[in-house]
Amino acid sequence: MEIEISSDKHLLHVNEIQQEMYDSAQRRGTGIAKRSIEYLTKKISEGNAVVATENGDWVGFCYIETWSHGQFVANSGLIVSPDYRNRGVATLIKNKVFQLSREKYPNAKVFGLTTGLAVMKINSDLGYKPVIYSELTQDEEFWNGCKNCVNYEILMKKERKNCLCTAMLFVPENNDKVNGIEIKQSEIDCYNGEKESNLSV
């Protein structure tokens, strides 16, 4: 399995990635905001995403967004192909995109909104802490991105103070060093679940 910073060579997977994002949200009945083909294509082409593949097949994906003039960074859209879930792939992808975020935006706060317990566990291991929504970016464009989420009505009824998602935040100055674990080839080779058996997105 290869876990790489995205480039144009990964564009052939964009339709499948978008469809799985949508299908996963429908199955779970919880929020993964739908993104357009054009939006995902831009993220992939600009190297602002991480793509996992195996033997030419798409395995997993996650991308970077910046908000409030680079003060905040979000690792969004974490998704793993159904055929590769429960094998620890999500951990490897999330760690890689976290490293990429820290390299590109070392002074930015890194945040996430998620309903998934597995993602919360990954975020916690990387040094994220649960926070209230007011601690996140207040960039209107970010919150407008929630309009495609099935839970948007709940968010607005709560006046953007909370929703079904848990907010988590990594603050660089609160961490002596980057908490991301370096991805070793041996870990990728063992992604079939010998080390992490219960993670899925």
Side-chain angles (χ1 to χ4, degrees):
M1 183 176 64
E2 295 183 325
I3 300 176
E4 302 173 299
I5 297 171
S6 64
S7 65
D8 286 346
K9 75 175 185 178
H10 298 115
L11 290 176
L12 75 162
H13 303 297
V14 69
N15 288 292
E16 188 176 4
I17 289 169
Q18 189 211 36
Q19 187 62 48
E20 184 52 42
M21 283 181 167
Y22 177 77
D23 290 346
S24 180
Q26 293 297 110
R27 286 193 299 269
R28 289 164 51 185
T30 54
I32 298 178
K34 188 176 182 180
R35 299 299 185 224
S36 68
I37 290 292
E38 292 76 19
Y39 185 87
L40 296 176
T41 295
K42 188 171 186 289
K43 289 295 179 184
I44 292 171
S45 296
E46 291 178 344
N48 283 322
V50 167
V51 182
T53 57
E54 184 173 76
N55 298 323
D57 293 330
W58 167 73
V59 173
F61 176 77
C62 191
Y63 63 87
I64 292 173
E65 296 176 298
T66 60
W67 307 102
S68 303
H69 307 288
Q71 296 179 47
F72 289 86
V73 175
N75 300 157
S76 302
L78 177 61
I79 193 77
V80 175
S81 171
D83 292 338
Y84 293 90
R85 290 178 184 168
N86 300 307
R87 302 184 188 184
V89 177
T91 301
L92 298 176
I93 294 171
K94 193 68 164 61
N95 190 72
K96 183 77 170 180
V97 79
F98 179 78
Q99 290 178 3
L100 180 62
S101 299
R102 298 288 291 123
E103 289 168 8
K104 285 196 166 192
Y105 307 98
N107 298 316
K109 297 178 180 180
V110 188
F111 74 96
L113 284 170
T114 182
T115 57
L117 289 176
V119 177
M120 292 178 205
K121 171 66 165 60
I122 297 168
N123 285 348
S124 180
D125 289 344
L126 289 170
Y128 290 65
K129 303 296 182 184
V131 295
I132 57 177
Y133 280 28
S134 61
E135 294 295 308
L136 308 182
T137 179
Q138 297 306 303
D139 193 317
E140 288 297 327
E141 188 177 353
F142 169 75
W143 295 103
N144 286 339
C146 293
K147 287 182 178 179
N148 292 322
C149 175
V150 296
N151 299 319
Y152 184 68
E153 186 176 345
I154 298 173
L155 177 69
M156 297 312 293
K157 284 183 177 179
K158 298 285 188 176
E159 299 179 338
R160 287 191 341 203
K161 294 178 180 178
N162 55 57
C163 191
L164 299 187
C165 283
T166 296
M168 302 188 75
L169 185 70
F170 173 93
V171 181
E173 57 263 33
N174 291 346
N175 293 269
D176 293 331
K177 62 181 179 178
V178 175
N179 292 331
I181 303 167
E182 180 182 358
I183 298 175
K184 300 180 177 65
Q185 185 60 44
S186 60
E187 290 175 320
I188 294 176
D189 292 341
C190 294
Y191 80 97
N192 60 2
E194 294 178 6
K195 295 190 176 184
E196 300 124 337
S197 61
N198 295 315
L199 289 168
S200 62
V201 178

